[in-house]
Amino acid sequence: MEPFYGKDKPLPEELRIAFLGDSITDDGTYIAYLDAYFRRHAPASRIELINLGVSSETASGLSEPFHPFPRPCVHDRLARALAETRPDWVVVCYGMNDGIYHPLSEARFGAYRAGLLRLLGQIRQAGAKAIAMTPPPFDPASLPDGAKRLLPQGLPESAYSYETPFADYESVLKRYADWVLSLGDEAADAVVSIHDELLAHIAAERAADPAYLSGDGIHPFAPGHAVMAQSLLRTLFGVSPEHARALAAELDGSAYAELIMQRHRLMSAAWKEHVGHTNPNKAEGALPLAEARAAAQALEARIRELAADSSTPAIP
């Protein structure tokens, strides 16, 4: 697909993008990277990024038998999420939890396909563009105590969970990711590949350092989130790979990035609780949405000042 925007297609004056997903989106570092990028490189456009990620959530409605609580399902909150945010685009990232850490099952795979197609369809019915990200990979080499926790195929269904995942769960996510990449225009307005990009990143880092940890096996650390942001920028906005790769280095350890993340966490927690969800754990430190907006506004002047303090070019 062609990017929605880019060198020959300028960004609009305003654009509101909502993000739906599981704990990887709930963490939201990749969304904060996007926010930091647009503020610095496209200051004339008012691009609002709303993180509605919920830890443990699925698109399929499935859950392991011994999960601490029934996994939340995005469909339980979707109507309210769309009504409250009124987005122009919705980016969705599901799959890591949808295989519920078991070996591949056609029934589970079918539930994921049906749930994701239903999700994309309802987003479009609400008048927004529906953008599907592939699931990220599972990295067993980064799983703490993996030698004790990873299970072989052929055990009872009840044996597998996020605590004791199938050792080759990555093959399940690869199947899910390949299916997402096959979605045509009739199902999604855009598809963003992050699975293979993250695998390539992990392989490159591990070639340099065999002990490299990409995250905790399920959740990528900040460098992985930077790869996700780069894929979104490249696919949706036509940002050159070289320009996108400079993002992480530019933001690493900066006061600007820290303020962006502070604002992001503030607003994400407020939005998630405002919309509602079925995860019994409330977002830590969540303020009512109106209070969060006021607190975020107090950060804006310093963020704008630091965003303007850059010699880097606008989006190429």
Side-chain angles (χ1 to χ4, degrees):
M1 59 155 277
E2 289 292 320
F4 296 137
Y5 300 104
K7 185 175 182 180
D8 300 320
K9 293 182 279 187
L11 287 168
E13 290 186 6
E14 295 186 21
L15 183 65
R16 176 177 278 199
I17 308 173
F19 294 80
L20 291 166
D22 52 34
S23 55
I24 297 165
T25 296
D26 194 350
D27 172 274
T29 300
Y30 75 90
I31 304 171
Y33 275 132
L34 294 175
D35 191 14
Y37 186 91
F38 288 127
R39 286 169 175 273
R40 181 160 282 181
H41 300 292
S45 293
R46 293 187 296 278
I47 300 176
E48 183 179 5
L49 308 177
I50 301 175
N51 182 356
L52 298 176
V54 168
S55 181
S56 300
E57 193 166 76
T58 73
S60 63
L62 301 177
S63 188
E64 309 96 304
F66 295 109
H67 195 269
F69 48 85
R71 286 189 177 276
C73 180
V74 65
H75 294 288
D76 294 334
R77 66 189 179 109
L78 181 59
R80 179 170 169 82
L82 294 172
E84 290 292 330
T85 59
R86 303 184 308 280
D88 301 301
W89 301 0
V90 181
V91 178
V92 304
C93 186
Y94 290 97
M96 179 60 77
N97 295 330
D98 291 272
I100 59 174
Y101 303 91
H102 286 50
L104 182 67
S105 150
E106 289 303 323
R108 284 188 289 271
F109 187 24
Y112 173 66
R113 295 196 306 269
L116 196 67
L117 289 173
R118 179 184 168 200
L119 172 59
L120 297 171
Q122 289 181 292
I123 290 167
R124 284 176 146 185
Q125 288 174 14
K129 288 187 182 298
I131 299 161
M133 296 173 73
T134 65
F138 176 68
D139 181 19
S142 293
L143 186 74
D145 295 322
K148 298 178 181 178
R149 295 170 58 191
L150 293 166
L151 300 182
Q153 192 159 8
L155 297 179
E157 290 278 292
S158 60
Y160 303 101
S161 73
Y162 75 102
E163 289 282 10
T164 53
F166 172 44
D168 193 23
Y169 189 55
E170 165 50 27
S171 66
V172 178
L173 293 179
K174 174 63 173 170
R175 180 83 178 274
Y176 286 22
D178 287 346
W179 173 77
V180 172
L181 290 176
S182 75
L183 292 174
D185 294 344
E186 72 283 356
D189 294 285
V191 172
V192 179
S193 176
I194 61 169
H195 182 273
D196 291 351
E197 287 72 9
L198 282 167
L199 282 181
H201 163 76
I202 294 167
E205 294 292 339
R206 204 156 279 154
D209 176 8
Y212 175 74
L213 298 178
S214 66
D216 64 4
I218 296 170
H219 308 93
F221 290 151
H225 279 265
V227 172
M228 296 169 68
Q230 290 160 21
S231 293
L232 285 159
L233 287 169
R234 182 181 66 252
T235 305
L236 303 178
F237 298 95
V239 176
S240 68
E242 296 76 17
H243 200 76
R245 276 195 296 270
L247 173 65
E250 178 186 339
L251 298 177
D252 187 31
S254 70
Y256 173 61
E258 179 54 37
L259 280 175
I260 288 287
M261 185 58 74
Q262 183 179 340
R263 185 189 183 283
H264 173 80
R265 292 193 181 109
L266 176 75
M267 291 304 301
S268 174
W271 267 116
K272 184 168 72 172
E273 299 305 323
H274 179 75
V275 166
H277 55 85
T278 58
N279 187 318
N281 301 316
K282 181 178 173 63
E284 186 176 352
L287 296 175
L289 187 58
E291 291 182 29
R293 281 176 166 152
Q297 189 60 37
L299 298 170
E300 285 293 330
R302 182 58 177 154
I303 290 174
R304 291 195 192 102
E305 178 184 333
L306 292 173
D309 183 20
S310 171
S311 60
T312 48
I315 293 176

